[in-house]
Amino acid sequence: QVRLVESGGGSVQSGGSLRLSCVVSGYTDRQYCMGWFRQAPGKEHEGVASIKTDGTTTYADSVKGRSTISHGNAKNTMYLQMNSLEPEDSAMYYCAIGPPYVCSGYYFERAVQFGYWGQGIRVTVSS
């Protein structure tokens, strides 16, 4: 059984930072893509950042330069360091895992074919 567990969300003031973590278990494919997505009330899922097994990363324009996605020492852990947070970053954040090809383009932007998802974690940024 594949399981993803997010942690590290919370409430911060504008300009603050948060580090989100995601631990995956039970995923047996050796090559994969892990990604962070977010959904604000009334909006669709939005790809935030993704990382392949080989370390290749993709970022949404909205977070580029403010966020860094990385693997932990154990490749089953993924982090998203978010700096200079803005109220527009407030959303439920989800981590997900899928095959390597979903790490960019349409698949990433629309969160398509990421087969497994975490429960989500809330990030609230106040002005």
Side-chain angles (χ1 to χ4, degrees), residues 11 16-19 21 29 33-34 36 40 55 67 70-73 84 86 88 90-91 111 113-114 120 123-124 127:
S11 298
S17 299
L18 282 174
R19 190 192 196 203
S21 300
D29 291 352
C33 169
M34 291 184 73
W36 286 100
S67 298
S70 61
H71 283 127
N73 290 332
S84 302
E86 304 164 351
E88 293 73 24
S90 297
Q113 294 190 17
F114 281 81
V123 170
T124 303
S127 57

Side-chain angles (χ1 to χ4, degrees), residues 8 18 35 37-38 47-48 69 79 95 124:
L18 282 174
F37 301 85
R38 65 187 182 188
V48 178
I69 189 170
Y79 302 105
C95 67
T124 303

Side-chain angles (χ1 to χ4, degrees), residues 8-123:
S11 298
V12 296
Q13 291 192 325
S14 182
S17 299
L18 282 174
R19 190 192 196 203
L20 305 184
S21 300
C22 176
V23 178
V24 61
S25 59
Y27 196 82
T28 57
D29 291 352
R30 297 176 69 88
Q31 304 295 322
Y32 52 79
C33 169
M34 291 184 73
W36 286 100
F37 301 85
R38 65 187 182 188
Q39 187 172 26
K43 295 188 176 182
E44 295 184 352
H45 268 95
E46 174 190 16
V48 178
S50 69
I51 186 167
K52 289 184 183 179
T53 322
D54 66 2
T56 304
T57 58
T58 299
Y59 294 93
D61 288 343
S62 58
V63 302
K64 200 173 292 182
R66 301 189 294 123
S67 298
T68 303
I69 189 170
S70 61
H71 283 127
N73 290 332
K75 286 290 181 69
N76 68 330
T77 304
M78 174 180 65
Y79 302 105
L80 182 67
Q81 177 69 43
M82 299 190 295
N83 303 319
S84 302
L85 284 163
E86 304 164 351
E88 293 73 24
D89 295 312
S90 297
M92 286 293 292
Y93 282 72
Y94 301 86
C95 67
I97 192 168
Y101 68 83
V102 302
C103 245
S104 60
Y106 173 83
Y107 299 102
F108 167 67
E109 293 167 7
R110 298 299 185 96
V112 173
Q113 294 190 17
F114 281 81
Y116 301 95
W117 292 76
Q119 293 294 311
I121 192 165
R122 186 170 299 280
V123 170

